[in-house]
Amino acid sequence: MTERHHIRQQIREARRRLSRTEQQAAAHAIKDRVAGTPHLAQAGKVALYLANDGELDPHPLINWYWSQGAQVYLPVLHHFSPGHLMFLRYDPDAQLIANRFGIPEPRLDIRLLLPKQQLDVIYTPLVAFDAAGNRIGMGGGFYDRTLAGWHQGTGPRPVGLAHDCQQLPAIPVDHWDVPLPELLTPGRHWRW
């Protein structure tokens, strides 16, 4: 078993052990952190995700952005470029379907598609992170491919969302990993 695989198992289990009350408190704490951070609060087009497998639930944040008049987009597995994500507008009445991983996503409608370069922020889920901004995702590389090039001004700013229990002292890094410039947990706002 690889070290990264072991980390994924360990941290996913820690996330799943959080109680419903702890999950809800974390979700609201993240919303409050974003609301109090001007460059995030003022974003007009944001990509979020729907929580899966104990991930930090961004629903309070989604609802808050909607109340601010922002446009919210969700990742959708790219239909024509395997291993990549595209982003479709998400509204309260959006019809969702399960993708091949069982994760709900908006039904493909080209009228709702937004090129990622037009997003202000991409909030990313993750499995684990360290104090240097390195992240481990679920292992498919979808976000690494999507975020590649952001630091050269060719994409929106990525911001990780995680529970405090997902932090490790250090995680192994591969050459394709894209470190985050910013990450929010209920207990801290990280910037690198």
Side-chain angles (χ1 to χ4, degrees):
M1 182 183 304
T2 68
E3 184 179 3
R4 289 168 73 97
H5 181 75
H6 177 72
I7 288 170
R8 284 188 184 99
Q9 285 186 322
Q10 174 189 3
I11 301 299
R12 289 173 70 194
E13 180 59 33
R15 284 189 322 204
R16 287 191 294 261
R17 281 195 305 264
L18 294 171
S19 71
R20 182 174 173 86
T21 301
E22 290 170 318
Q23 284 277 6
Q24 289 173 342
H28 286 282
I30 292 296
K31 185 260 305 169
D32 292 343
R33 281 199 184 284
V34 169
T37 306
H39 72 278
L40 298 176
Q42 295 166 5
K45 294 179 181 173
V46 298
L48 280 142
Y49 60 90
L50 299 180
N52 182 48
D53 190 41
E55 292 171 337
L56 194 135
D57 185 0
H59 266 101
L61 184 55
I62 290 170
N63 289 328
W64 181 82
Y65 269 120
W66 282 337
S67 75
Q68 302 303 302
Q71 296 176 5
V72 175
Y73 294 81
L74 292 180
V76 174
L77 298 180
H78 204 294
H79 289 51
F80 312 113
S81 185
H84 289 83
L85 298 173
M86 52 187 175
F87 296 91
L88 269 66
R89 177 103 179 244
Y90 179 52
D91 292 309
D93 59 348
Q95 183 180 11
L96 301 175
I97 58 170
N99 66 24
R100 71 176 191 250
F101 299 111
I103 300 169
E105 61 183 32
R107 180 177 298 280
L108 182 59
D109 182 337
I110 198 71
R111 297 170 298 174
L112 303 177
L113 181 66
L114 184 74
K116 74 175 183 179
Q117 293 81 2
Q118 294 180 26
L119 290 164
D120 298 315
V121 177
I122 295 180
Y123 289 99
T124 66
L126 53 101
V127 175
F129 72 97
D130 65 20
N134 298 307
R135 65 178 283 280
I136 292 180
M138 291 296 290
F142 290 94
Y143 276 96
D144 287 315
R145 283 186 283 280
T146 299
L147 301 177
W150 78 265
H151 56 285
Q152 297 162 343
T154 61
R157 183 173 185 80
V159 177
L161 298 181
H163 295 286
D164 292 298
C165 68
Q166 292 175 247
Q167 181 188 0
L168 295 174
I171 57 175
V173 178
D174 284 319
H175 70 280
W176 59 78
D177 289 333
V178 176
L180 296 168
E182 196 166 357
L183 186 137
L184 302 171
T185 69
R188 185 165 175 190
H189 187 163
W190 300 79
R191 291 185 183 120
W192 296 279

